[in-house]
Amino acid sequence: MKSTPPPARSIALRILDRIFYGGAYSHIAVSSALNDADLSGPDRGLVTELVYGTLTRKRTLDALLGEFVNRPLDGLDRPVLLSLRMAAYQLVFLDRIPEHAAVHEAVELVKEQCGRGAGGFANGVLRSMLRNRDTWKIWESIDPDADPIRHLGIRHSLPDWIAEFLIDTHGFQKASRQARSFNSRPPLYFRVLQDESETLTDALSPVAGVP
């Protein structure tokens, strides 16, 4: 029996394709897709997390995937590359999605988009990642004393010119703290004024129930 990829990941893939290859603005693409989709609160949150997380960490994810793909990443079929980025993001930066689920669903998504051969390729890349967890923090292989710009850029997914500007302006240590803050999310505080506990999560935000 053919396995069907979960709709949240299929939608996230389409959004990322529109952003990376169609020049769409991320917030408009996400909002439009979620408005058109019949998804639960948690699935809407997952779509948003995958899209913005993959966008934010693109440089880091590509540096890591480059260790396991023996060809230029830009030469991969678009659904393959985007699915690998999403899966790598889940493995490295999220801790609430089981690794086997992230890998399986990425492979099924690639199979659906590009066929069994491409699915086998994606499976091989991701299984190799699972066997080599010590490489996930790819920036640790870059000496910050010898190449501080690239170290900072890969670690925090910044273009070299921004990393260079921060280091030249503030020094490496302060630049590192500032770069870390770019990818940090501020805490969310709210106060319940009436008993709406069952609907509060959906009412607050589409990213509120990320699994």
Side-chain angles (χ1 to χ4, degrees), residues 62-139:
D62 284 359
L64 175 59
L65 288 171
E67 297 294 306
F68 299 98
V69 176
N70 59 359
R71 67 184 80 168
L73 294 182
D74 289 344
L76 299 177
D77 289 339
R78 283 155 50 174
V80 176
L81 177 55
L82 295 176
S83 296
L84 288 176
R85 284 173 177 162
M86 283 198 298
Y89 174 69
Q90 292 170 80
L91 293 176
V92 177
F93 294 105
L94 299 183
D95 56 11
R96 288 177 287 179
I97 298 176
E99 292 176 351
H100 65 85
V103 171
H104 172 75
E105 289 160 5
V107 171
E108 292 303 317
L109 188 56
V110 171
K111 285 181 182 178
E112 179 190 63
Q113 297 288 322
C114 300
R116 294 183 61 84
F121 169 79
N123 185 63
V125 171
L126 296 173
R127 296 294 175 185
S128 182
M129 279 187 61
L130 291 178
R131 292 192 300 270
N132 295 275
R133 300 167 190 270
D134 57 326
T135 66
W136 287 8
K137 294 183 178 181
I138 185 68
W139 56 87

Side-chain angles (χ1 to χ4, degrees), residues 156-197:
H156 299 290
S157 200
L158 300 174
D160 281 346
W161 71 268
I162 292 181
E164 183 177 15
F165 174 80
L166 291 175
I167 293 170
D168 288 347
T169 304
H170 304 290
F172 183 78
Q173 294 303 322
K174 187 174 181 179
S176 295
R177 293 193 296 270
Q178 290 185 330
R180 188 181 304 113
S181 72
F182 295 161
N183 295 327
S184 299
R185 298 176 186 177
L188 174 66
Y189 300 98
F190 61 90
R191 182 171 56 181
V192 179
L193 299 178
Q194 54 186 321
D195 186 11
E196 295 181 349
S197 57

Side-chain angles (χ1 to χ4, degrees), residues 46-63:
L46 178 59
V47 169
T48 306
E49 178 68 42
L50 291 179
V51 171
Y52 285 117
T54 302
L55 282 172
T56 300
R57 302 286 186 175
K58 174 184 177 293
R59 186 180 185 190
T60 307
L61 297 173
D62 284 359

